[in-house]
Amino acid sequence: MMVRVVVADDQAPFRKAVRTLLAASAGFELVGEATSGEQAVALTSELHPDLVLMDINMDGLGGIAAARAIAATHPGTATILVSTYREDELPGEAQTCGATGYLHKAELGARAISRILRGRE
Amino acid sequence: MACAYGGSIPIAREAGTLDEKRPIADNCRAMNEIEELRASRARVLEAADAERRRTERGLHDGVQQHLVALAVNLQLARQLADSDLDALRALLEELSNDVHEALESVRTLARQVYPPVLLDRGLADALRSAAAEVGAQAEVTTTERFPPEVEAAVYFCCVELPRPGATISVRVEADALVFETSGEPTAAVADRLGALGGALELSEGRVTGRVTLAR
């Protein structure tokens, strides 16, 4: 089954890297890109992706608040928070916002994503 | 209208409570100078913190983002090494471009923190290079090297001010290094010069800064 993904990050280099990564990874399809939490929530309502890769630090509605909104309104969509924080530096709300998991950006890869999604099933 | 930073200091209300044996005008002056120094010190700290924040943002939004993208692409490269060597070759090309972009980010940030050309070649070359970047012109009539704190003060004051089309001129006048340009000087510019005992004057849109040289 193809995993349909939205990436939300205000940094273009990361979005570009995700685009390249998913294009070359069997089983994933990038269906949308958002540059803010608000856009991520709106795209989720519009596209109903299976997964949102959500940067924690974005202006306006940050990634954690956006993940909370998605968990409340689209429980079928998994959200993986991403950032360059070490896990012990994550804000407490990252654990309670309804996100499926967390990945350090440098560790983002098809296998790591699949592992988190399998844990959700 | 002309005014000079540090030249006209408002009289403090508490001035009359100082040493009664001294003339009240002296007390007022001393009090006001202390107040001005306190304010200046607070502004210098504020400017240093703002600079740190700007550097942090520069690292986060520039260098770190490129490194993150490289790390993600390296994960992909590992994946492709087992399955698709042609795609891996194309990705390595992209990685090479990403490395160049990351290096450019580092270079830009380093130049903002302290331009290497100022340290290596002095004020004239550093100002010409900085002016060219904003479409301004620098006319520096001295190639002499000055103490690093003097070169840095004049450089950072000058680069903060000019707009496209403006001219920055720098010259040695008797025992002072003098710069002239146009623009709206901030308190930080005045504080930087003030810390070296220099002065800043504004007159009809022209800004003149002066730092006395210890000869």
Side-chain angles (χ1 to χ4, degrees):
Chain A
M1 192 192 88
M2 190 69 89
V3 178
R4 299 171 69 250
V5 183
V6 163
V7 60
D9 196 313
D10 53 357
Q11 299 290 342
F14 182 72
R15 293 199 309 275
K16 182 183 163 205
V18 169
R19 214 178 296 144
T20 310
L21 173 76
L22 296 184
S25 302
F28 291 93
E29 181 190 5
L30 184 65
V31 294
E33 294 184 27
T35 57
S36 68
E38 287 88 343
Q39 265 188 23
V41 174
L43 274 184
T44 301
S45 294
E46 187 189 328
L47 302 170
H48 303 286
D50 302 301
L51 170 66
V52 180
L53 292 173
M54 180 86 76
D55 182 37
I56 290 180
N57 284 314
M58 289 184 283
D59 286 341
L61 187 69
I64 288 178
R68 185 175 293 116
I70 290 170
T73 54
H74 299 85
T77 297
T79 302
I80 296 180
L81 295 174
V82 293
S83 82
T84 50
Y85 292 132
R86 292 193 312 261
E87 286 208 37
D88 60 334
E89 294 172 331
L90 283 176
E93 286 179 304
Q95 312 286 339
T96 58
C97 68
T100 313
Y102 171 74
L103 268 177
H104 190 287
K105 282 182 176 178
E107 286 159 11
L108 188 73
R111 282 181 204 147
I113 294 172
S114 298
R115 197 169 50 241
I116 291 177
L117 292 180
R118 271 200 304 275
R120 185 177 190 245
E121 288 164 5
Chain B
M1 191 189 106
C3 67
Y5 282 89
S8 163
I9 301 169
I11 293 173
R13 276 174 298 179
E14 309 86 332
T17 62
L18 284 176
D19 185 356
E20 290 175 3
K21 291 174 189 161
R22 296 176 64 192
I24 196 159
D26 284 359
N27 279 338
C28 287
R29 200 172 302 118
M31 189 71 184
N32 286 326
E33 279 172 7
I34 290 166
E35 283 303 313
E36 174 56 26
L37 278 174
R38 277 195 189 128
S40 165
R41 197 164 55 178
R43 287 195 302 266
V44 166
L45 283 176
E46 214 171 276
D49 285 345
E51 189 54 43
R52 281 199 186 93
R53 285 195 295 274
R54 200 159 53 194
T55 305
E56 191 278 332
R57 287 319 298 170
L59 283 168
H60 177 268
D61 293 346
V63 184
Q64 182 172 281
Q65 297 308 320
H66 289 295
L67 290 176
V68 161
L70 278 168
V72 173
N73 281 328
L74 281 172
Q75 298 274 2
L76 177 58
R78 270 194 211 108
Q79 213 172 291
L80 293 175
D82 296 332
S83 58
D84 190 340
L85 288 180
D86 286 340
L88 176 62
R89 278 186 206 102
L91 181 64
L92 287 175
E93 271 305 306
E94 200 174 313
L95 282 175
S96 170
N97 291 336
D98 290 347
V99 168
H100 286 292
E101 281 179 27
L103 286 172
E104 187 55 31
S105 290
V106 173
R107 202 180 73 85
T108 303
L109 186 63
R111 207 173 40 192
Q112 283 163 3
V113 171
Y114 200 101
V117 67
L118 177 61
L119 197 63
D120 298 340
R121 304 210 301 268
L123 205 47
D125 283 352
L127 275 178
R128 277 186 205 113
S129 161
E133 274 184 28
V134 295
Q137 257 201 324
E139 292 168 1
V140 184
T141 58
T142 174
T143 52
E144 197 181 334
R145 295 300 305 258
F146 305 98
E149 65 276 14
V150 172
E151 290 188 335
V154 172
Y155 175 86
F156 285 109
C157 288
C158 285
V159 296
E160 193 170 309
L161 292 167
R163 304 185 181 110
T167 302
I168 307 164
S169 73
V170 180
R171 61 187 180 276
V172 175
E173 244 179 42
D175 61 346
L177 186 59
V178 178
F179 67 85
E180 264 186 58
T181 186
S182 53
E184 295 287 327
T186 59
V189 169
D191 288 340
R192 193 182 274 276
L193 283 185
L196 294 174
L200 196 62
E201 287 177 17
L202 313 180
S203 179
E204 292 168 0
R206 294 296 294 167
V207 182
T208 307
R210 187 179 296 270
V211 182
T212 304
L213 299 167
R215 297 285 195 183

